[in-house]
């Protein structure tokens, strides 16, 4: 809506960007901060600028989350192969529920199943990222055959959440640090946080006395087509001009 930041707001925005992603940051260290400008200096607008300038940017996973050096040895690791079989069997069950009747079984699924059963070539998936790319392709087919964009959240979750947990189990089985590392304070935090689902959404928590102020500032300064606003509690859409 043509809103321009004042110099002091631009300085605050730069400082907040730096505090969110400080140079040399290591997992477990503090990030972020407090914007404590005096009243009337436009803190709300500055925070909206931070939200909009990072819009759609998913959080990056810290390198410490995973150590996948065990991937090349996976085919000689019975426990790791068992996790792969559990994943590919689940993907196949997704198809049996619908029979893949509306189309052929995805070629990626056949390649994944062959790899998990040690029938494919080791070079089919030189990295776990290549493996996950084919898993995602199969998941997209499964979601599409359940209605695609018309599928309910529950239908999509029933496909994606078990796959996500299966992939977590596969990655955890590859981590050579697992036994000793998981006993440390950092290891315990990693175990907990890498099970969280990353999101580019922004959660704004304000006292009830400031809800109308935030809503008014959003409607005044932000193009409604850019952000999707939802109320707390029931998650219903919140529209400018109509409450």
């Amino acid at each position: 809506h043509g809103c321009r930041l004042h110099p002091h707001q631009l300085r605050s925005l730069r400082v907040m960007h730096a505090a969110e992603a400080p140079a040399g940051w290591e997992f477990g260290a503090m990030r972020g901060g407090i914007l404590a400008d005096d009243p009337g200096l436009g803190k709300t607008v500055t925070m909206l600028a931070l939200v909009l300038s990072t819009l759609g940017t998913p959080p990056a996973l810290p390198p410490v989350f995973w150590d996948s050096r065990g991937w090349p040895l996976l085919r000689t690791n019975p426990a790791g192969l068992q996790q792969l079989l559990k994943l590919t069997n689940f993907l196949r069950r997704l198809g049996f529920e619908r029979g893949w009747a509306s189309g052929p079984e995805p070629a990626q699924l056949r390649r994944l199943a062959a790899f998990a059963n040690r029938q494919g070539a080791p070079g089919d998936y030189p990295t776990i990222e290549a493996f996950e790319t084919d898993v995602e392709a199969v998941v997209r087919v499964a979601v599409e055959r359940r209605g695609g964009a018309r599928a309910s959240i529950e239908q999509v979750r029933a496909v994606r959440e078990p796959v996500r947990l299966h992939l977590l189990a596969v990655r955890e089985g590859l981590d050579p640090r697992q036994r000793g590392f998981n006993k440390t304070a950092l290891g315990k935090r990693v175990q907990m946080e890498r099970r969280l689902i990353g999101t580019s959404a922004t959660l704004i928590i304000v006292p009830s006395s400031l809800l109308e102020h935030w809503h008014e500032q959003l409607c005044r300064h932000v193009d409604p087509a850019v952000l999707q606003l939802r109320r707390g509690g029931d998650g219903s859409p919140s529209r400018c001009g109509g409450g």
Side-chain angles (χ1 to χ4, degrees):
H1 287 314
C3 176
R4 288 180 173 273
L5 298 182
H6 294 290
H8 72 274
Q9 292 173 309
L10 288 170
R11 285 194 297 272
S12 294
L13 182 60
R14 285 193 291 268
V15 169
M16 289 191 292
H17 274 296
E20 287 292 318
W25 176 81
E26 295 184 1
F27 178 78
M30 293 295 292
R31 289 186 297 171
I34 298 173
L35 178 60
D37 286 346
D38 289 335
L41 290 182
K43 293 186 294 296
T44 303
V45 172
T46 305
M47 292 305 302
L48 288 177
L50 177 65
V51 172
L52 293 171
S53 62
T54 58
L55 189 65
T57 304
L61 296 181
V64 73
F65 266 26
W66 303 112
D67 185 337
S68 299
R69 286 175 294 174
W71 180 254
L73 302 176
L74 178 70
R75 294 163 70 86
T76 62
N77 182 339
L81 283 175
Q82 185 179 29
Q83 292 297 342
L84 285 187
L85 285 169
K86 288 180 179 179
L87 170 58
T88 54
N89 287 341
F90 174 78
L91 292 173
R92 280 205 145 141
R93 286 199 301 275
L94 289 177
F96 292 141
E97 290 171 7
R98 301 282 164 145
W100 295 116
S102 58
E105 182 177 82
Q108 294 94 335
L109 179 52
R110 294 195 295 274
R111 188 160 56 244
L112 290 167
F115 184 81
N117 283 283
R118 289 197 284 192
Q119 296 170 352
D124 285 348
Y125 296 109
T127 65
I128 190 171
E129 289 76 19
F131 181 85
E132 290 175 335
T133 296
D134 268 6
V135 170
E136 175 59 23
V138 175
V139 167
R140 286 199 300 269
V141 172
V143 171
E144 185 62 30
R145 294 180 184 176
R146 282 160 172 75
R150 297 184 302 277
S152 67
I153 293 177
E154 290 73 20
Q155 287 175 309
V156 175
R157 184 182 292 125
V159 173
R160 288 197 169 276
E161 183 60 10
V163 171
R164 186 180 75 86
L165 295 177
H166 279 304
L167 284 172
L168 278 172
V170 170
R171 278 189 173 270
E172 287 175 342
L174 299 176
D175 197 335
R177 310 166 302 177
Q178 194 168 11
R179 290 196 182 98
F181 179 67
N182 287 350
K183 294 178 181 178
T184 66
L186 180 60
K188 291 175 181 177
R189 178 169 175 178
V190 165
Q191 288 180 77
M192 183 274 291
E193 290 205 17
R194 65 187 176 189
R195 283 174 168 75
L196 301 176
I197 300 175
T199 176
S200 57
T202 298
L203 176 64
I204 299 174
I205 303 174
V206 298
S208 57
S209 59
L210 291 178
L211 282 176
E212 288 302 321
H213 166 73
W214 271 85
H215 190 266
E216 185 271 335
Q217 292 287 295
L218 281 162
C219 292
R220 178 188 297 183
H221 299 298
V222 180
D223 185 342
V226 174
L227 291 181
Q228 184 181 54
L229 307 181
R230 292 192 174 274
R231 300 177 187 274
D234 61 0
S236 59
S238 178
R239 296 181 177 85
C240 294

